Amino acid sequence: MTNPPPPGNWSDPTWSAQPSSPAPDPTVVAGQPVPAQPGPVDPYAPAPYAPDPYAPVDPYAPVDPYAGAKQSAAQPMPGYAPPGYPPQYPGYGYPQPPKTNGMAIAAFVLALIGFTSCITAPIGAILGHVAQKQIRLSGEGGAGMAKAAIIVGWILTGFLVLVIAIYAAVIIYAIATSDNSSSSSY
């Protein structure tokens, strides 16, 4: 079934079966072809040929010593992204731990050496106090190490003072209770 023509002199372009003129070609402007516009880049499109980095390598293949500089796996091919993971965005992942204060490390080591030498324990405790002040001012790491050096250093120093006091008391007691018979017998 076809529609009847519109009444009057009004012409309906959809009514006639034949267009009055052919549709213009959108790729031609003023007789010249329009260059194609670059479209969006497909990230999943295959890349141009690049050597396969996982291809098996013949260890006995001859090597040309005069071939010049060759691309290594660590150097990316021109036009390609470097291999490996992309750089980490700032603010993501774990933050870097702060640098440990060197004096806190030295104080802890000297306090622990105080178990055998007994002389370095008070030095370790004093250096622990200095390291704590430096850590408060600079924000470095190692506060726990400095605190451990202070605790271990002062405990070992207390034991050292106690041992020296007991040793002195034993010597004084031995002198006071000794019989001076050997000096009076002559």
Side-chain angles (χ1 to χ4, degrees):
M1 178 170 146
T2 62
N3 290 335
N9 289 338
W10 185 73
S11 67
D12 185 7
T14 60
W15 180 77
S16 79
Q18 294 286 336
S20 59
S21 64
D25 187 7
T27 61
V28 176
V29 175
Q32 299 292 328
V34 176
Q37 296 291 321
V41 177
D42 184 11
Y44 301 108
Y49 174 77
D52 184 13
Y54 302 108
V57 177
D58 183 13
Y60 302 107
V63 178
D64 184 11
Y66 302 107
K70 293 185 178 184
Q71 293 285 348
S72 68
Q75 297 173 342
M77 299 275 302
Y80 292 95
Y85 293 107
Q88 190 177 32
Y89 295 106
Y92 291 98
Y94 295 109
Q96 293 293 328
K99 181 180 164 240
T100 305
N101 186 294
M103 193 168 294
I105 295 171
F108 187 64
V109 169
L110 287 173
L112 290 180
I113 291 175
F115 276 113
T116 58
S117 70
C118 295
I119 296 171
T120 61
I123 298 170
I126 293 169
L127 284 179
H129 285 290
V130 174
Q132 267 192 336
K133 183 175 182 178
Q134 286 180 352
I135 290 168
R136 267 195 315 267
L137 294 176
S138 67
E140 291 176 313
M145 212 178 296
K147 185 175 276 194
I150 292 169
I151 293 169
V152 171
W154 286 130
I155 288 174
L156 290 178
T157 302
F159 281 142
L160 177 64
V161 168
L162 185 64
V163 167
I164 290 173
I166 291 172
Y167 187 71
V170 167
I171 291 175
I172 292 171
Y173 178 74
I175 292 174
T177 59
S178 71
D179 188 19
N180 286 338
S181 62
S182 62
S183 62
S184 62
S185 63
Y186 290 111

